[in-house]
Amino acid sequence: MRAVDIQSEITEILVTEEQILKRLDEIAAQVAVDYADKDLLLVGVLKGAIMVMADFSRALPTVAPIDWMAVSSYGASTKSSGVVQIRKDLDEDLHDRHVLIVEDIIDSGLTLSWLLENFASRGAASVEVFALLRKPDAAKVHVDCRYVGFDIANEFVVGYGLDYAEKYRNLRDVAILAPHVYS
């Protein structure tokens, strides 16, 4: 599904699928150089990173295992409780591995900063972040992000893995969701 198919539900297309795929190719080429001869492990944060991870890992010209983690700091609320709960832990041992966390979006940075500390405490050789999208104006904590696809405004966006009430993840573009949809 493309954003043009749901024009009445969005206000603006921020990034098209074509722009995303081009940027993923660029970042994958850089990651291949930066991690040459290193034991790289890609870690995706469920559920939002599924689309990014799939296309990014296919763009990598090198072998890189993938693992997944699911965490929550929201529960049933729309506001973070500040307490991160692990819903699904990693299957891989991080000791002496070079970990690249693959994220769909960084907004407040709170959960991601917790993940960085958690992975470092597990003995990872290094832990870096690749986020397809970053909202600089939404940051509550500073998170070093080695690779960023696109900086975007602090708007409610959907598509390319990002959802509203589990809808719109399969949207191929990233778009601002119209307020009448979620109000």
Side-chain angles (χ1 to χ4, degrees), residues 88-104:
K88 186 244 177 262
D89 206 347
L90 299 171
D91 297 322
E92 296 284 327
D93 180 10
L94 300 186
H95 192 263
D96 291 333
R97 305 282 297 271
H98 294 275
V99 177
L100 181 60
I101 299 172
V102 177
E103 273 279 28
D104 53 350

Side-chain angles (χ1 to χ4, degrees), residues 8-21:
S8 66
E9 298 169 48
I10 62 170
T11 60
E12 181 182 350
I13 299 169
L14 294 180
V15 189
T16 66
E17 178 183 33
E18 294 78 14
Q19 292 170 312
I20 292 168
L21 294 175

Side-chain angles (χ1 to χ4, degrees), residues 122-134:
R122 296 183 191 202
S126 67
V127 184
E128 298 289 349
V129 178
F130 161 47
L132 178 66
L133 305 169
R134 179 176 59 183

Side-chain angles (χ1 to χ4, degrees), residues 13-183:
I13 299 169
L14 294 180
V15 189
T16 66
E17 178 183 33
E18 294 78 14
Q19 292 170 312
I20 292 168
L21 294 175
K22 181 177 184 269
R23 188 71 180 121
L24 290 178
D25 284 343
E26 294 166 357
I27 293 170
Q30 186 61 54
V31 167
V33 170
D34 293 347
Y35 288 90
D37 302 320
K38 292 183 180 174
D39 187 13
L40 176 63
L41 174 66
L42 303 177
V43 173
V45 182
L46 293 171
K47 297 179 186 173
I50 288 174
M51 305 302 183
V52 178
M53 179 71 88
D55 289 338
F56 176 69
S57 64
R58 285 192 298 252
L60 274 175
T62 59
V63 174
I66 296 172
D67 203 352
W68 297 97
M69 188 164 196
V71 295
S72 175
S73 62
Y74 290 83
S77 175
T78 57
K79 292 185 180 177
S80 175
S81 66
V83 177
V84 177
Q85 296 177 332
I86 298 174
R87 304 288 181 159
K88 186 244 177 262
D89 206 347
L90 299 171
D91 297 322
E92 296 284 327
D93 180 10
L94 300 186
H95 192 263
D96 291 333
R97 305 282 297 271
H98 294 275
V99 177
L100 181 60
I101 299 172
V102 177
E103 273 279 28
D104 53 350
I105 192 166
I106 299 174
D107 45 35
S108 73
L110 293 170
T111 301
L112 188 54
S113 66
W114 181 88
L115 275 177
L116 289 165
E117 289 179 25
N118 181 281
F119 289 0
S121 75
R122 296 183 191 202
S126 67
V127 184
E128 298 289 349
V129 178
F130 161 47
L132 178 66
L133 305 169
R134 179 176 59 183
K135 295 180 180 179
D137 293 340
K140 294 188 191 249
V141 295
H142 175 74
V143 174
D144 285 325
C145 190
R146 186 165 184 180
Y147 310 98
V148 177
F150 304 92
D151 280 330
I152 62 170
N154 190 12
E155 299 282 353
F156 191 67
V157 295
V158 294
Y160 207 76
L162 297 159
D163 75 302
Y164 167 66
E166 294 300 326
K167 298 175 186 169
Y168 305 104
R169 286 192 199 278
N170 64 324
L171 183 62
R172 292 174 174 263
D173 312 293
V174 174
I176 298 172
L177 191 62
H180 76 268
V181 175
Y182 59 88
S183 300

